[in-house]
Structures are given as C-alpha cells and as structure tokens.
C-alpha cells in the first residue's frame, strides 16, 4: 500500500482509465483524495455500457441521465468516451448534447450508440475538432454540409445500423481527408433512384469493411486502398478504382454479378473467398497478376459452371510465392482428373487446408494428389462436416478415409496433421 501511496497522480489516472467502465472508475476513485483528484483531472477514458451493470436497465431515464451527466461533468480532459446505451430507454436530446459539448474539445475517440428524442446531429457537434476515431451506431445522418476538412484529424470511421443517404455518405467521406479505416455495417442507404449507384471517393483510405448492405452498384475510388473486405452483401456491381496498392481481398457470403478491382491486383498478398458463387476463369483472370500472393483461400465456393475446375497447375505458375493454400469445394471426377494434371510443384506451400461438406472417396485422392505436389509442406489441416445421423455408407467412407490418412502419414512423417470437424 505504501508503494501505491507514492504513485504520481498521472499514473493513477492511467490506472483508472484502464478500468474503462464508469461504475468501476467511480468506485475505485473513492479510495482516497489522490485517486479522486486523478479521476477529476487525469482520467482519459470513460465507458458507459448498458451490459456492464444490470441496474442500468432498472433505472428510470431521468435518473440514468443524471448519473451519466454527474460522472462526465466531474472529469476534465477526457480523450476517449464510449456511450453504448442503445438497449435502454431513449434519452432526451438535451443532456446528450451537453455531454458531447462538454467533452468535444479534448476527445480523440467517440463510440456513440444512443437513441435520443429527437435525433441529434453528432457531426455538427463534433465536427472541426480533434476527433481521430468515430464509431456511430443506431443513428440517422442527414443534411451533411459540404464543408471541406470538417473532420480534419479523423482516421477511423465506423457506421453500424445507421440511416444515411448515398449523397450524404459521400460528402461525409470527403469531409474526412485523413480517414484510413472505414467500416460500414447494416446501413440503411437512401438513394434518389432505386437504380442509382453509391459513389465514394477518398485518397487516404487504406482499409474498408462492408457488411450486410444491399445495393445496385457501389463504385469506390480509393487510390491507396490496401484492404477490401465484403461480407453478407447483395450487390449487382462492385467496382474498385485504385492504383494497385491492394494487399488483402476478402469476400464472405456475397452475392455480386460483376466484381471489378481493376488494376489493383498486382500487389495482392492475401485472397480469401468463402461461401461465394464463383466463375473461376473470370475470377482467376482478375487476380492472375498477383505474383506476390502468399495466401489463397477458396472455401465453400460454388462454381457458376458445373464444368469449371480449379486448375492447381495454373495456381502454381501464377502465384510462385504462395505459402498457405486452403481449398474446399464440391469434388467431382473432373477435379481430380484435370485439376491435378501436370508435373507442377507448389514449392513454397507450407500450410495446406482441405475441407469437405460431404465425404467421398474422391477426397482421399485429392489429398494424396496435393500432398505429392507440396514437397516442403509442414502442416496439413483437414476440415470436415460429420452429421449426427450417419448412414452405414457414410460411416464406412469415414472409416476408409481415416485408414487412408494413417497410411499416408507414415509416408509424410514430418508433416503436422490436424483435424477440425463440425
């Protein structure tokens, strides 16, 4: 305890900030006078989350507003404020505006998920300040002013379950000249015309994540983009206009008729595609110039044409630096016959992941064929789906595969084999 007594008040402020949750901070700050001073003058992070304390749900709206107001107003110089209260009663707009006005000059991060009556304009309150991270959820953005550098320091922007027009979102992005990370999740995007496209343009963006969005067309112009991730989206067209800095492309459970990343594939290092209907010849043409590719994952993909086959020899030729290869799709005789033809070698592949949804004898042939072509393999991971109710035929096939793997591993003693079954 004596050591604690000699801690500088600034260090105590850092300790309290690590606690995060407002209730814990208030309790800890009652330890002594120094800790109360640290709370008031050296606390830089404060979080109000309705999941942190069950009593948040039992308090009346007015009582909750008073508690939050008193807690925030006893601090000076907050840099990170998180108010995650969307599952409690709606707040009155006045106290919420007061919280933001009181803290906005020193805030660097704001995580805001609050329902208010009426809706308040967060952008107007927090604009032209030093905010670097902004995460908004369950809110409405309207009437964005085309004011350049309205958020001159913002580097990370996250919008979840937000209602916004395509035009306002475009203008908002232009008002963030330094934004590098953008996350758009389950947005309600208002278009002037049902067939209109959403066009976003930014020179600073490096990382974009888009989830659960349905639109006719998205055009993203981002010269410096390095990471593109799409998940659970329904799109007719997605076009990326960039200058070839893209390093990661991840697509999961996306329905898109036309996907175009232009000339952005040359520096790709990771391509991860799952739960996706793919036209292999077209998709391969899109990424064929990715000579720096190190990780390729085609998982639970469905081919648009039943006669299409992933040509492993072509993968070997186009991606000589490939170290991780993950494949899972329906196996047919043609996959074994044509997919593994040739005398190619995947020289640099050290991790191989293979999966099935329905086990068959073809899977064993596939595994054996790929192992022969990976001379430097260190790790093999087999993914499979094992149903609770198995027919006698399924049990026999699984037993034969198990025996096959045992024999195979006697041949490849240096390979670490792992199994992951669902």
């Amino acid at each position: 305890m004596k050591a604690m007594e000699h801690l500088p008040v600034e260090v105590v402020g850092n300790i309290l900030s690590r606690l995060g949750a407002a209730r814990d901070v208030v309790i800890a700050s009652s330890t002594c006078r120094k800790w109360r001073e640290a709370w008031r003058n050296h606390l830089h992070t404060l979080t109000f989350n309705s999941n942190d304390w069950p009593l948040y749900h039992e308090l009346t709206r007015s009582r909750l507003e008073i508690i939050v107001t008193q807690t925030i107003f006893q601090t000076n110089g907050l840099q990170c404020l998180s108010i995650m209260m969307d599952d409690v009663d709606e707040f009155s707009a006045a106290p919420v505006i007061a919280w933001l006005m009181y803290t906005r000059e020193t805030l660097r991060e704001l995580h805001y998920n609050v329902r208010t009556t009426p809706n308040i304009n967060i952008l107007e309150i927090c604009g032209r300040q030093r905010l670097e991270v902004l995460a908004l959820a369950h809110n409405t953005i309207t009437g964005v002013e085309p004011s350049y550098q309205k958020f001159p320091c913002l580097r990370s922007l996250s919008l979840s379950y937000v209602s916004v027009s395509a035009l306002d979102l475009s203008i908002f992005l232009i008002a963030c000249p330094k934004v590098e990370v953008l996350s758009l999740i389950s947005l309600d995007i208002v278009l002037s015309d049902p067939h209109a496209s959403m066009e976003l343009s930014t020179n600073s963006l490096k990382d974009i994540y888009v989830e659960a969005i349905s639109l006719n067309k998205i055009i993203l112009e981002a010269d410096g983009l390095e990471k593109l991730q799409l998940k659970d989206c329904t799109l007719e067209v997605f076009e990326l206009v960039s200058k070839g800095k893209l390093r990661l492309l991840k697509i999961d459970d996306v329905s898109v008729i036309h996907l175009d990343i232009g000339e952005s594939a040359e520096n790709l290092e990771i391509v991860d595609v799952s739960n996706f209907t793919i036209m292999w010849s077209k998709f391969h043409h899109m990424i064929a110039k990715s000579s720096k590719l190190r990780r390729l994952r085609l998982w639970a993909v469905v081919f648009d044409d039943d006669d299409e086959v992933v040509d492993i020899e072509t993968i070997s030729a186009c991606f000589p630096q490939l170290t991780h290869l993950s494949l899972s799709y329906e196996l047919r005789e043609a996959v074994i016959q044509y997919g593994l033809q040739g005398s190619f070698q995947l020289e640099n592949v050290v991790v191989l992941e293979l999966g099935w949804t329905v086990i068959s004898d073809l899977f064993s042939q596939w595994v054996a064929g790929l192992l022969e072509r990976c001379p430097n393999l260190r790790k093999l991971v087999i993914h499979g789906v094992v149903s609770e109710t198995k027919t006698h035929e399924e049990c026999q096939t699984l037993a034969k595969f198990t025996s096959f793997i045992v024999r195979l591993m006697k041949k490849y003693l240096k390979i670490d084999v792992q199994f992951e079954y669902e």
Side-chain angles (χ1 to χ4, degrees), residues 321-336:
Q321 297 186 37
L322 199 66
T323 59
H324 289 64
L325 178 61
S326 304
L327 302 172
S328 176
Y329 42 78
E330 184 183 357
L331 295 179
R332 293 171 283 108
E333 289 285 353
V335 173
I336 309 300

PDB file of all heavy atoms in Angstrom, residues 321-336:
ATOM      1  N   GLN A 321       4.954 -17.429 -54.931  1.00  0.00           N
ATOM      2  CA  GLN A 321       5.297 -17.161 -53.533  1.00  0.00           C
ATOM      3  C   GLN A 321       4.261 -17.700 -52.557  1.00  0.00           C
ATOM      4  O   GLN A 321       4.335 -17.449 -51.353  1.00  0.00           O
ATOM      5  CB  GLN A 321       5.482 -15.656 -53.319  1.00  0.00           C
ATOM      6  CG  GLN A 321       6.633 -15.059 -54.121  1.00  0.00           C
ATOM      7  CD  GLN A 321       6.876 -13.599 -53.772  1.00  0.00           C
ATOM      8  OE1 GLN A 321       6.750 -13.185 -52.623  1.00  0.00           O
ATOM      9  NE2 GLN A 321       7.232 -12.799 -54.770  1.00  0.00           N
ATOM     10  N   LEU A 322       3.300 -18.457 -53.046  1.00  0.00           N
ATOM     11  CA  LEU A 322       2.204 -18.963 -52.215  1.00  0.00           C
ATOM     12  C   LEU A 322       2.744 -19.856 -51.094  1.00  0.00           C
ATOM     13  O   LEU A 322       3.471 -20.811 -51.335  1.00  0.00           O
ATOM     14  CB  LEU A 322       1.223 -19.754 -53.087  1.00  0.00           C
ATOM     15  CG  LEU A 322      -0.181 -19.986 -52.525  1.00  0.00           C
ATOM     16  CD1 LEU A 322      -0.928 -18.673 -52.388  1.00  0.00           C
ATOM     17  CD2 LEU A 322      -0.963 -20.934 -53.429  1.00  0.00           C
ATOM     18  N   THR A 323       2.356 -19.549 -49.851  1.00  0.00           N
ATOM     19  CA  THR A 323       2.782 -20.345 -48.693  1.00  0.00           C
ATOM     20  C   THR A 323       1.615 -21.035 -47.989  1.00  0.00           C
ATOM     21  O   THR A 323       1.797 -22.065 -47.349  1.00  0.00           O
ATOM     22  CB  THR A 323       3.510 -19.474 -47.661  1.00  0.00           C
ATOM     23  OG1 THR A 323       2.636 -18.427 -47.212  1.00  0.00           O
ATOM     24  CG2 THR A 323       4.771 -18.855 -48.257  1.00  0.00           C
ATOM     25  N   HIS A 324       0.409 -20.444 -48.093  1.00  0.00           N
ATOM     26  CA  HIS A 324      -0.782 -21.019 -47.459  1.00  0.00           C
ATOM     27  C   HIS A 324      -1.849 -21.226 -48.527  1.00  0.00           C
ATOM     28  O   HIS A 324      -2.235 -20.278 -49.216  1.00  0.00           O
ATOM     29  CB  HIS A 324      -1.325 -20.092 -46.374  1.00  0.00           C
ATOM     30  CG  HIS A 324      -0.460 -20.015 -45.154  1.00  0.00           C
ATOM     31  ND1 HIS A 324       0.819 -19.504 -45.188  1.00  0.00           N
ATOM     32  CD2 HIS A 324      -0.695 -20.381 -43.865  1.00  0.00           C
ATOM     33  CE1 HIS A 324       1.332 -19.556 -43.966  1.00  0.00           C
ATOM     34  NE2 HIS A 324       0.438 -20.085 -43.154  1.00  0.00           N
ATOM     35  N   LEU A 325      -2.342 -22.459 -48.639  1.00  0.00           N
ATOM     36  CA  LEU A 325      -3.387 -22.778 -49.617  1.00  0.00           C
ATOM     37  C   LEU A 325      -4.518 -23.495 -48.901  1.00  0.00           C
ATOM     38  O   LEU A 325      -4.305 -24.512 -48.235  1.00  0.00           O
ATOM     39  CB  LEU A 325      -2.821 -23.661 -50.729  1.00  0.00           C
ATOM     40  CG  LEU A 325      -3.807 -24.113 -51.817  1.00  0.00           C
ATOM     41  CD1 LEU A 325      -4.389 -22.907 -52.562  1.00  0.00           C
ATOM     42  CD2 LEU A 325      -3.123 -25.062 -52.802  1.00  0.00           C
ATOM     43  N   SER A 326      -5.746 -22.946 -49.032  1.00  0.00           N
ATOM     44  CA  SER A 326      -6.922 -23.527 -48.386  1.00  0.00           C
ATOM     45  C   SER A 326      -8.007 -23.725 -49.437  1.00  0.00           C
ATOM     46  O   SER A 326      -8.423 -22.758 -50.099  1.00  0.00           O
ATOM     47  CB  SER A 326      -7.441 -22.599 -47.281  1.00  0.00           C
ATOM     48  OG  SER A 326      -6.420 -22.306 -46.338  1.00  0.00           O
ATOM     49  N   LEU A 327      -8.478 -24.966 -49.581  1.00  0.00           N
ATOM     50  CA  LEU A 327      -9.447 -25.295 -50.618  1.00  0.00           C
ATOM     51  C   LEU A 327     -10.576 -26.149 -50.049  1.00  0.00           C
ATOM     52  O   LEU A 327     -10.333 -27.121 -49.334  1.00  0.00           O
ATOM     53  CB  LEU A 327      -8.779 -26.051 -51.767  1.00  0.00           C
ATOM     54  CG  LEU A 327      -7.607 -25.369 -52.490  1.00  0.00           C
ATOM     55  CD1 LEU A 327      -6.955 -26.332 -53.460  1.00  0.00           C
ATOM     56  CD2 LEU A 327      -8.085 -24.111 -53.202  1.00  0.00           C
ATOM     57  N   SER A 328     -11.803 -25.785 -50.383  1.00  0.00           N
ATOM     58  CA  SER A 328     -12.966 -26.589 -50.013  1.00  0.00           C
ATOM     59  C   SER A 328     -14.086 -26.308 -51.008  1.00  0.00           C
ATOM     60  O   SER A 328     -14.616 -25.193 -51.055  1.00  0.00           O
ATOM     61  CB  SER A 328     -13.431 -26.255 -48.587  1.00  0.00           C
ATOM     62  OG  SER A 328     -14.614 -26.967 -48.277  1.00  0.00           O
ATOM     63  N   TYR A 329     -14.398 -27.304 -51.826  1.00  0.00           N
ATOM     64  CA  TYR A 329     -15.500 -27.180 -52.775  1.00  0.00           C
ATOM     65  C   TYR A 329     -15.920 -28.586 -53.194  1.00  0.00           C
ATOM     66  O   TYR A 329     -15.243 -29.581 -52.878  1.00  0.00           O
ATOM     67  CB  TYR A 329     -15.124 -26.322 -53.991  1.00  0.00           C
ATOM     68  CG  TYR A 329     -13.739 -26.574 -54.551  1.00  0.00           C
ATOM     69  CD1 TYR A 329     -13.462 -27.669 -55.357  1.00  0.00           C
ATOM     70  CD2 TYR A 329     -12.698 -25.674 -54.275  1.00  0.00           C
ATOM     71  CE1 TYR A 329     -12.198 -27.891 -55.875  1.00  0.00           C
ATOM     72  CE2 TYR A 329     -11.424 -25.888 -54.789  1.00  0.00           C
ATOM     73  CZ  TYR A 329     -11.187 -26.995 -55.586  1.00  0.00           C
ATOM     74  OH  TYR A 329      -9.930 -27.218 -56.088  1.00  0.00           O
ATOM     75  N   GLU A 330     -17.038 -28.669 -53.883  1.00  0.00           N
ATOM     76  CA  GLU A 330     -17.564 -29.979 -54.277  1.00  0.00           C
ATOM     77  C   GLU A 330     -16.570 -30.683 -55.208  1.00  0.00           C
ATOM     78  O   GLU A 330     -16.089 -30.112 -56.186  1.00  0.00           O
ATOM     79  CB  GLU A 330     -18.906 -29.814 -54.995  1.00  0.00           C
ATOM     80  CG  GLU A 330     -19.554 -31.148 -55.359  1.00  0.00           C
ATOM     81  CD  GLU A 330     -20.845 -30.968 -56.143  1.00  0.00           C
ATOM     82  OE1 GLU A 330     -21.260 -29.801 -56.357  1.00  0.00           O
ATOM     83  OE2 GLU A 330     -21.432 -31.984 -56.542  1.00  0.00           O
ATOM     84  N   LEU A 331     -16.280 -31.924 -54.880  1.00  0.00           N
ATOM     85  CA  LEU A 331     -15.329 -32.694 -55.677  1.00  0.00           C
ATOM     86  C   LEU A 331     -16.061 -33.571 -56.688  1.00  0.00           C
ATOM     87  O   LEU A 331     -17.056 -34.229 -56.359  1.00  0.00           O
ATOM     88  CB  LEU A 331     -14.478 -33.591 -54.767  1.00  0.00           C
ATOM     89  CG  LEU A 331     -13.546 -32.857 -53.796  1.00  0.00           C
ATOM     90  CD1 LEU A 331     -12.785 -33.862 -52.948  1.00  0.00           C
ATOM     91  CD2 LEU A 331     -12.572 -31.949 -54.541  1.00  0.00           C
ATOM     92  N   ARG A 332     -15.560 -33.534 -57.905  1.00  0.00           N
ATOM     93  CA  ARG A 332     -16.064 -34.392 -58.981  1.00  0.00           C
ATOM     94  C   ARG A 332     -14.868 -35.057 -59.659  1.00  0.00           C
ATOM     95  O   ARG A 332     -13.722 -34.673 -59.434  1.00  0.00           O
ATOM     96  CB  ARG A 332     -16.857 -33.542 -59.997  1.00  0.00           C
ATOM     97  CG  ARG A 332     -18.148 -32.969 -59.449  1.00  0.00           C
ATOM     98  CD  ARG A 332     -18.786 -31.966 -60.381  1.00  0.00           C
ATOM     99  NE  ARG A 332     -18.109 -30.661 -60.327  1.00  0.00           N
ATOM    100  CZ  ARG A 332     -17.351 -30.185 -61.284  1.00  0.00           C
ATOM    101  NH1 ARG A 332     -17.127 -30.896 -62.391  1.00  0.00           N
ATOM    102  NH2 ARG A 332     -16.786 -28.993 -61.178  1.00  0.00           N
ATOM    103  N   GLU A 333     -15.146 -36.036 -60.481  1.00  0.00           N
ATOM    104  CA  GLU A 333     -14.058 -36.739 -61.175  1.00  0.00           C
ATOM    105  C   GLU A 333     -13.174 -35.766 -61.947  1.00  0.00           C
ATOM    106  O   GLU A 333     -11.953 -35.914 -61.982  1.00  0.00           O
ATOM    107  CB  GLU A 333     -14.641 -37.785 -62.139  1.00  0.00           C
ATOM    108  CG  GLU A 333     -15.274 -38.985 -61.467  1.00  0.00           C
ATOM    109  CD  GLU A 333     -14.240 -39.951 -60.899  1.00  0.00           C
ATOM    110  OE1 GLU A 333     -13.036 -39.741 -61.156  1.00  0.00           O
ATOM    111  OE2 GLU A 333     -14.630 -40.891 -60.190  1.00  0.00           O
ATOM    112  N   ALA A 334     -13.790 -34.744 -62.538  1.00  0.00           N
ATOM    113  CA  ALA A 334     -13.026 -33.787 -63.346  1.00  0.00           C
ATOM    114  C   ALA A 334     -12.035 -32.994 -62.488  1.00  0.00           C
ATOM    115  O   ALA A 334     -10.965 -32.600 -62.961  1.00  0.00           O
ATOM    116  CB  ALA A 334     -13.982 -32.828 -64.054  1.00  0.00           C
ATOM    117  N   VAL A 335     -12.389 -32.769 -61.219  1.00  0.00           N
ATOM    118  CA  VAL A 335     -11.496 -32.035 -60.326  1.00  0.00           C
ATOM    119  C   VAL A 335     -10.195 -32.805 -60.147  1.00  0.00           C
ATOM    120  O   VAL A 335      -9.096 -32.242 -60.159  1.00  0.00           O
ATOM    121  CB  VAL A 335     -12.182 -31.799 -58.964  1.00  0.00           C
ATOM    122  CG1 VAL A 335     -11.195 -31.196 -57.963  1.00  0.00           C
ATOM    123  CG2 VAL A 335     -13.387 -30.877 -59.125  1.00  0.00           C
ATOM    124  N   ILE A 336     -10.306 -34.111 -59.982  1.00  0.00           N
ATOM    125  CA  ILE A 336      -9.126 -34.954 -59.805  1.00  0.00           C
ATOM    126  C   ILE A 336      -8.379 -35.113 -61.126  1.00  0.00           C
ATOM    127  O   ILE A 336      -7.147 -35.024 -61.188  1.00  0.00           O
ATOM    128  CB  ILE A 336      -9.525 -36.342 -59.256  1.00  0.00           C
ATOM    129  CG1 ILE A 336     -10.417 -36.191 -58.009  1.00  0.00           C
ATOM    130  CG2 ILE A 336      -8.291 -37.166 -58.952  1.00  0.00           C
ATOM    131  CD1 ILE A 336      -9.764 -35.458 -56.873  1.00  0.00           C
TER     132      ILE A 336
END
